Amino acid sequence: MRDLVTSPHVAYRDGLARGVLLFQRCDACSAAVFPPRVVCPSCGGADLSTEQSAGLGEVYSTTAVAAKDGEPYAVCLIDLDEGFRMMSTVTGVAAADVEIGSRVTLVVEDGDPPRPTFVGGTGR
Ligand SMILES: [Zn+2]
């Protein structure tokens, strides 16, 4: 049984606090696993290794969400190069200009908790 210190969520959160995005890879079937889990959703294997993402990926889908105050923001599904998908946002560009298929780079925004976001998102 895993204790709290080694729980995958704690490892993930501590990674963000250090400015890095962690994911897991199944030792049995090599599937990239995200968000953090204790069992591989592909094969049921319980041996998952923690790896650090390079933070590079591609916009899989994007939606401009109206903000109560200010400009709309982009809620996106990002396919990371390591083979997992995560929900995040692309900043630094108008939400309507984020393009599906464009390249993005991770930026961990300071905060409590720190937030994984992406920049880029236009051009291919
Ligand atoms: Zn597996």
Side-chain angles (χ1 to χ4, degrees):
M1 176 141 177
R2 292 161 197 256
D3 61 38
L4 277 177
V5 175
T6 58
S7 97
H9 279 283
V10 171
Y12 170 72
R13 195 185 61 204
D14 289 351
L16 287 180
R18 291 185 285 115
V20 299
L21 176 63
L22 299 179
F23 67 102
Q24 296 164 295
R25 193 172 297 281
C26 177
D27 292 347
C29 75
S30 297
V33 177
F34 188 90
R37 298 171 192 265
V38 293
V39 171
C40 173
S42 296
C43 76
D47 293 321
L48 304 175
S49 298
T50 299
E51 295 186 13
Q52 181 175 328
S53 171
L56 301 174
E58 185 176 304
V59 177
Y60 174 78
S61 72
T62 180
T63 304
V65 176
K68 195 171 177 186
D69 304 307
E71 296 295 311
Y73 59 96
V75 174
C76 304
L77 290 176
I78 307 294
D79 282 343
L80 279 299
D81 290 351
E82 291 87 0
F84 65 97
R85 181 173 292 165
M86 69 182 292
M87 185 177 288
S88 184
T89 185
V90 173
T91 62
V93 49
D97 292 341
V98 176
E99 293 177 62
I100 290 170
S102 61
R103 299 291 297 171
V104 288
T105 302
L106 174 76
V107 175
V108 179
E109 287 187 356
D110 287 338
D112 189 20
R115 214 164 58 102
T117 66
F118 290 84
V119 295
T122 59
R124 298 194 188 185

